Amino acid sequence: MATGFNVNSNISSMKTYRAFAHSQTKLEESIERLSTGLRINKASDDTEGAAIATRLSNRVRSLQKAQTNSKRTIDMLQTAEGSLNDIHNILARMRELAVQSASDNLNTKDRSTIDMEYQQLKSEIDRIAKSTEYNQIKLIDGSQKATVSTVTGVGIDSVSTAGHGGQKVNSGSYSFEYKPGSLKLVNKTTGEFEVVDFTPASAGEIKTYQFSSLGLTVSFDEEFDLNNVANSTFEVTATGSTVQIGADDDADSNLDFTLGDATAKGLRLSQSSLDNLAGAQAAISSLDAAIEAINDDRSFIGATQNRLEFTATNADSTIVNLKASISTIRDVDYAKEAMELAKYQILVQSGSAMMVQANQISQTVLQLMQQ
């Protein structure tokens, strides 16, 4: 459309400037993308893509920390397993001494000499158990084990928690329910329970029952009142370790476990001695139980380490896939962007040249006035 000659509004120059400004903006965006390697440098570049990429990036960072947690826990468990291996070797030597002492062809002096080494080995077990730590966290001294307190009612001789094999014991208030032939132990805090076959203890007798799924062992004497079992209660305070192995706040992202008490007391060896025949014979059975407990702990540690290895591997695989997704959304295609750069470089240069031509249109008016 012809616009005639005027000097107040140079429409051609204005249109040329608008095209030039657009090309200049696109050129700057292209340079920014090529210099950063990112297609999305601000939310306005791709609102939806920026939101998705940010969400995935946060997920990756969380998974990286969870993976680090898994690897550090493997290191912690390896520290505990190394000490348990040493304790196992000591127990094997102590059993040799017990077998040696459990013979009538030794005199009192001989047994006293054997018992001297036996007691020193018990002390070394305590030293190892109490000094084994990771990042100032005691591992096998019993501090990882749930504790029992506030035992009420009569007839409960003792309550002990699962000290070995990694079983987690839940905190809570526990009570009993009795039906002829069976006894039910209930965690009133969590609602979990277990029923075992039950026969009351006779006079002078102590009977021990294992509530395996709850991780508890309870011993009763003849005074246990079957008519008022609800009055027999105790409290359990759980300790142990919790490891965040996932990126979410749910049960599947946490690993809970306990490590057993590997002290002489925790292995029920604190009172054992070889200074007499009966003590030596009893020590053999006690040492067998202690060795089995250590084996349970080592088996649990090995199984947990293997699980955490797979956990770390899975996290690594997920991180790689998420980073690939982020790259697809956010990273620039250099070949395509280089083509865009060349395009807008040409448009900016040609636009600049056309601006000169458009500005010269107004000069035609002066030429007309001079004629």
Side-chain angles (χ1 to χ4, degrees):
M1 181 179 67
T3 59
F5 293 102
N6 61 73
V7 295
N8 289 325
S9 299
N10 189 339
I11 302 302
S12 295
S13 179
M14 293 169 63
K15 289 181 178 180
T16 303
Y17 175 76
R18 184 178 63 184
F20 171 80
H22 174 74
S23 298
Q24 182 68 31
T25 299
K26 291 296 184 181
L27 177 62
E28 291 173 356
E29 290 178 354
S30 185
I31 291 173
E32 181 182 25
R33 287 169 181 163
L34 289 171
S35 63
T36 62
L38 299 175
R39 182 180 68 87
I40 303 175
N41 289 284
K42 51 186 179 296
S44 60
D45 291 338
D46 183 347
T47 304
E48 180 185 8
I52 295 173
T54 299
R55 193 179 303 118
L56 293 179
S57 295
N58 290 336
R59 184 78 175 178
V60 166
R61 294 175 64 180
S62 296
L63 283 171
Q64 287 173 332
K65 289 302 180 183
Q67 184 184 44
T68 300
N69 290 343
S70 296
K71 291 180 178 180
R72 287 178 178 172
T73 304
I74 291 172
D75 293 339
M76 181 183 77
L77 292 174
Q78 187 60 48
T79 301
E81 202 276 333
S83 292
L84 289 175
N85 181 58
D86 292 335
I87 291 174
H88 180 273
N89 292 334
I90 292 174
L91 290 172
R93 173 57 181 166
M94 291 171 68
R95 195 180 192 285
E96 289 180 25
L97 296 174
V99 171
Q100 181 182 359
S101 184
S103 176
D104 268 335
N105 58 11
L106 298 177
N107 58 36
T108 303
K109 178 63 176 177
D110 294 333
R111 287 199 178 90
S112 178
T113 302
I114 294 172
D115 186 58
M116 186 182 301
E117 180 182 352
Y118 185 85
Q119 299 302 327
Q120 287 295 320
L121 292 175
K122 277 203 304 183
S123 297
E124 181 59 14
I125 287 176
D126 277 339
R127 188 198 67 79
I128 292 173
K130 293 176 181 178
S131 63
T132 300
E133 61 179 45
Y134 179 85
N135 193 28
Q136 299 183 340
I137 300 171
K138 299 291 185 180
L139 300 180
I140 56 174
D141 66 339
S143 59
Q144 295 271 335
K145 180 182 175 183
T147 57
V148 178
S149 62
T150 321
V151 180
T152 61
V154 296
I156 299 179
D157 183 72
S158 66
V159 180
S160 61
T161 60
H164 302 278
Q167 184 175 10
K168 183 79 172 180
V169 181
N170 289 326
S171 296
S173 177
Y174 288 77
S175 65
F176 297 95
E177 296 177 12
Y178 174 73
K179 291 182 179 180
S182 66
L183 186 67
K184 182 179 182 180
L185 178 59
V186 182
N187 184 335
K188 294 189 292 185
T189 304
T190 65
E192 59 185 341
F193 65 89
E194 183 176 354
V195 180
V196 298
D197 294 334
F198 183 80
T199 303
S202 303
E205 182 184 22
I206 293 177
K207 284 195 170 183
T208 300
Y209 294 87
Q210 290 188 342
F211 297 86
S212 301
S213 65
L214 300 178
L216 295 166
T217 300
V218 185
S219 296
F220 304 91
D221 58 32
E222 75 276 8
E223 295 183 359
F224 185 60
D225 189 355
L226 298 179
N227 296 318
N228 295 289
V229 293
N231 294 329
S232 298
T233 64
F234 57 88
E235 301 288 331
V236 172
T237 302
T239 50
S241 298
T242 299
V243 183
Q244 184 76 24
I245 59 175
D248 300 312
D249 181 22
D250 55 34
D252 291 335
S253 294
N254 293 321
L255 173 63
D256 297 328
F257 64 88
T258 60
L259 296 176
D261 184 350
T263 63
K265 180 179 179 181
L267 296 173
R268 300 183 179 180
L269 296 175
S270 57
Q271 302 300 320
S272 66
S273 67
L274 307 182
D275 57 1
N276 60 75
L277 180 62
Q281 291 173 336
I284 294 175
S285 296
S286 297
L287 286 164
D288 284 341
I291 291 171
E292 188 64 28
I294 295 298
N295 284 338
D296 287 344
D297 280 341
R298 294 181 67 191
S299 296
F300 168 76
I301 287 174
T304 305
Q305 284 179 305
N306 287 338
R307 174 185 175 176
L308 289 172
E309 290 283 0
F310 282 108
T311 300
T313 300
N314 175 255
D316 190 55
S317 176
T318 303
I319 289 169
V320 170
N321 290 329
L322 289 177
K323 283 186 174 181
S325 298
I326 294 170
S327 177
T328 301
I329 296 170
R330 192 173 60 183
D331 289 352
V332 70
D333 182 338
Y334 268 88
K336 179 181 178 181
E337 201 59 46
M339 181 179 67
E340 293 293 308
L341 176 67
K343 169 186 172 181
Y344 287 112
Q345 282 177 330
I346 294 171
L347 288 175
V348 167
Q349 292 172 10
S350 62
S352 178
M354 292 306 101
M355 282 285 293
V356 174
Q357 296 298 321
N359 288 335
Q360 289 180 349
I361 293 176
S362 298
Q363 301 298 320
T364 306
V365 177
L366 292 176
Q367 294 176 7
L368 290 173
M369 294 176 66
Q370 291 172 357
Q371 292 179 356

